[in-house]
PDB file of all heavy atoms in Angstrom:
ATOM      1  N   PHE A  23       3.480   6.488   7.112  1.00 79.00           N
ATOM      2  CA  PHE A  23       2.728   7.134   6.044  1.00 79.00           C
ATOM      3  C   PHE A  23       2.203   8.513   6.427  1.00 79.00           C
ATOM      4  O   PHE A  23       1.995   9.351   5.560  1.00 79.00           O
ATOM      5  CB  PHE A  23       1.548   6.248   5.616  1.00 79.00           C
ATOM      6  CG  PHE A  23       1.963   4.877   5.204  1.00 79.00           C
ATOM      7  CD1 PHE A  23       1.626   3.765   5.959  1.00 79.00           C
ATOM      8  CD2 PHE A  23       2.699   4.685   4.048  1.00 79.00           C
ATOM      9  CE1 PHE A  23       2.007   2.499   5.573  1.00 79.00           C
ATOM     10  CE2 PHE A  23       3.095   3.412   3.654  1.00 79.00           C
ATOM     11  CZ  PHE A  23       2.749   2.319   4.421  1.00 79.00           C
ATOM     12  N   ALA A  24       1.958   8.725   7.696  1.00 78.00           N
ATOM     13  CA  ALA A  24       1.355   9.988   8.142  1.00 78.00           C
ATOM     14  C   ALA A  24       2.408  11.094   8.218  1.00 78.00           C
ATOM     15  O   ALA A  24       3.596  10.833   8.379  1.00 78.00           O
ATOM     16  CB  ALA A  24       0.699   9.801   9.507  1.00 78.00           C
ATOM     17  N   SER A  25       1.951  12.310   8.130  1.00 77.00           N
ATOM     18  CA  SER A  25       2.877  13.443   8.189  1.00 77.00           C
ATOM     19  C   SER A  25       3.422  13.665   9.601  1.00 77.00           C
ATOM     20  O   SER A  25       4.457  14.285   9.771  1.00 77.00           O
ATOM     21  CB  SER A  25       2.186  14.705   7.695  1.00 77.00           C
ATOM     22  OG  SER A  25       1.050  14.965   8.477  1.00 77.00           O
ATOM     23  N   VAL A  26       2.732  13.165  10.607  1.00 78.00           N
ATOM     24  CA  VAL A  26       3.201  13.283  11.993  1.00 78.00           C
ATOM     25  C   VAL A  26       3.795  11.948  12.454  1.00 78.00           C
ATOM     26  O   VAL A  26       3.585  11.518  13.581  1.00 78.00           O
ATOM     27  CB  VAL A  26       2.057  13.721  12.925  1.00 78.00           C
ATOM     28  CG1 VAL A  26       1.609  15.125  12.616  1.00 78.00           C
ATOM     29  CG2 VAL A  26       0.892  12.747  12.848  1.00 78.00           C
ATOM     30  N   GLY A  27       4.552  11.332  11.588  1.00 73.00           N
ATOM     31  CA  GLY A  27       5.031   9.970  11.818  1.00 73.00           C
ATOM     32  C   GLY A  27       5.759   9.735  13.122  1.00 73.00           C
ATOM     33  O   GLY A  27       5.447   8.805  13.853  1.00 73.00           O
ATOM     34  N   SER A  28       6.738  10.572  13.439  1.00 78.00           N
ATOM     35  CA  SER A  28       7.511  10.320  14.650  1.00 78.00           C
ATOM     36  C   SER A  28       6.656  10.464  15.901  1.00 78.00           C
ATOM     37  O   SER A  28       6.909   9.807  16.902  1.00 78.00           O
ATOM     38  CB  SER A  28       8.732  11.231  14.714  1.00 78.00           C
ATOM     39  OG  SER A  28       8.351  12.569  14.516  1.00 78.00           O
ATOM     40  N   ALA A  29       5.633  11.285  15.866  1.00 87.00           N
ATOM     41  CA  ALA A  29       4.736  11.399  17.018  1.00 87.00           C
ATOM     42  C   ALA A  29       3.949  10.101  17.215  1.00 87.00           C
ATOM     43  O   ALA A  29       3.725   9.674  18.348  1.00 87.00           O
ATOM     44  CB  ALA A  29       3.780  12.574  16.837  1.00 87.00           C
ATOM     45  N   LEU A  30       3.558   9.463  16.126  1.00 87.00           N
ATOM     46  CA  LEU A  30       2.845   8.184  16.242  1.00 87.00           C
ATOM     47  C   LEU A  30       3.771   7.079  16.725  1.00 87.00           C
ATOM     48  O   LEU A  30       3.338   6.167  17.429  1.00 87.00           O
ATOM     49  CB  LEU A  30       2.204   7.813  14.908  1.00 87.00           C
ATOM     50  CG  LEU A  30       1.025   8.678  14.497  1.00 87.00           C
ATOM     51  CD1 LEU A  30       0.536   8.286  13.108  1.00 87.00           C
ATOM     52  CD2 LEU A  30      -0.100   8.562  15.494  1.00 87.00           C
ATOM     53  N   TRP A  31       5.040   7.137  16.359  1.00 87.00           N
ATOM     54  CA  TRP A  31       5.981   6.133  16.844  1.00 87.00           C
ATOM     55  C   TRP A  31       6.138   6.226  18.354  1.00 87.00           C
ATOM     56  O   TRP A  31       6.267   5.210  19.025  1.00 87.00           O
ATOM     57  CB  TRP A  31       7.328   6.279  16.163  1.00 87.00           C
ATOM     58  CG  TRP A  31       7.324   5.918  14.723  1.00 87.00           C
ATOM     59  CD1 TRP A  31       6.409   5.138  14.072  1.00 87.00           C
ATOM     60  CD2 TRP A  31       8.263   6.310  13.745  1.00 87.00           C
ATOM     61  NE1 TRP A  31       6.729   5.031  12.749  1.00 87.00           N
ATOM     62  CE2 TRP A  31       7.870   5.742  12.517  1.00 87.00           C
ATOM     63  CE3 TRP A  31       9.398   7.095  13.771  1.00 87.00           C
ATOM     64  CZ2 TRP A  31       8.575   5.917  11.345  1.00 87.00           C
ATOM     65  CZ3 TRP A  31      10.114   7.262  12.594  1.00 87.00           C
ATOM     66  CH2 TRP A  31       9.710   6.680  11.402  1.00 87.00           C
ATOM     67  N   ILE A  32       6.099   7.444  18.875  1.00 89.00           N
ATOM     68  CA  ILE A  32       6.194   7.617  20.331  1.00 89.00           C
ATOM     69  C   ILE A  32       4.979   6.995  21.009  1.00 89.00           C
ATOM     70  O   ILE A  32       5.101   6.307  22.017  1.00 89.00           O
ATOM     71  CB  ILE A  32       6.338   9.114  20.692  1.00 89.00           C
ATOM     72  CG1 ILE A  32       7.680   9.644  20.181  1.00 89.00           C
ATOM     73  CG2 ILE A  32       6.191   9.334  22.184  1.00 89.00           C
ATOM     74  CD1 ILE A  32       7.809  11.152  20.238  1.00 89.00           C
ATOM     75  N   VAL A  33       3.804   7.200  20.434  1.00 90.00           N
ATOM     76  CA  VAL A  33       2.584   6.593  20.984  1.00 90.00           C
ATOM     77  C   VAL A  33       2.685   5.065  20.944  1.00 90.00           C
ATOM     78  O   VAL A  33       2.333   4.381  21.910  1.00 90.00           O
ATOM     79  CB  VAL A  33       1.336   7.086  20.213  1.00 90.00           C
ATOM     80  CG1 VAL A  33       0.101   6.347  20.651  1.00 90.00           C
ATOM     81  CG2 VAL A  33       1.159   8.577  20.392  1.00 90.00           C
ATOM     82  N   ALA A  34       3.193   4.528  19.834  1.00 89.00           N
ATOM     83  CA  ALA A  34       3.334   3.078  19.711  1.00 89.00           C
ATOM     84  C   ALA A  34       4.323   2.531  20.740  1.00 89.00           C
ATOM     85  O   ALA A  34       4.082   1.488  21.351  1.00 89.00           O
ATOM     86  CB  ALA A  34       3.787   2.706  18.300  1.00 89.00           C
ATOM     87  N   VAL A  35       5.409   3.235  20.956  1.00 89.00           N
ATOM     88  CA  VAL A  35       6.402   2.786  21.940  1.00 89.00           C
ATOM     89  C   VAL A  35       5.834   2.851  23.357  1.00 89.00           C
ATOM     90  O   VAL A  35       6.053   1.937  24.158  1.00 89.00           O
ATOM     91  CB  VAL A  35       7.699   3.627  21.819  1.00 89.00           C
ATOM     92  CG1 VAL A  35       8.623   3.393  22.994  1.00 89.00           C
ATOM     93  CG2 VAL A  35       8.405   3.313  20.516  1.00 89.00           C
ATOM     94  N   VAL A  36       5.086   3.898  23.659  1.00 92.00           N
ATOM     95  CA  VAL A  36       4.474   4.008  24.989  1.00 92.00           C
ATOM     96  C   VAL A  36       3.463   2.881  25.210  1.00 92.00           C
ATOM     97  O   VAL A  36       3.430   2.259  26.268  1.00 92.00           O
ATOM     98  CB  VAL A  36       3.818   5.400  25.173  1.00 92.00           C
ATOM     99  CG1 VAL A  36       2.936   5.442  26.408  1.00 92.00           C
ATOM    100  CG2 VAL A  36       4.882   6.477  25.229  1.00 92.00           C
TER     101      VAL A  36
END
Side-chain angles (χ1 to χ4, degrees):
F23 304 112
S25 58
V26 293
S28 51
L30 290 176
W31 291 340
I32 294 169
V33 173
V35 168
V36 168

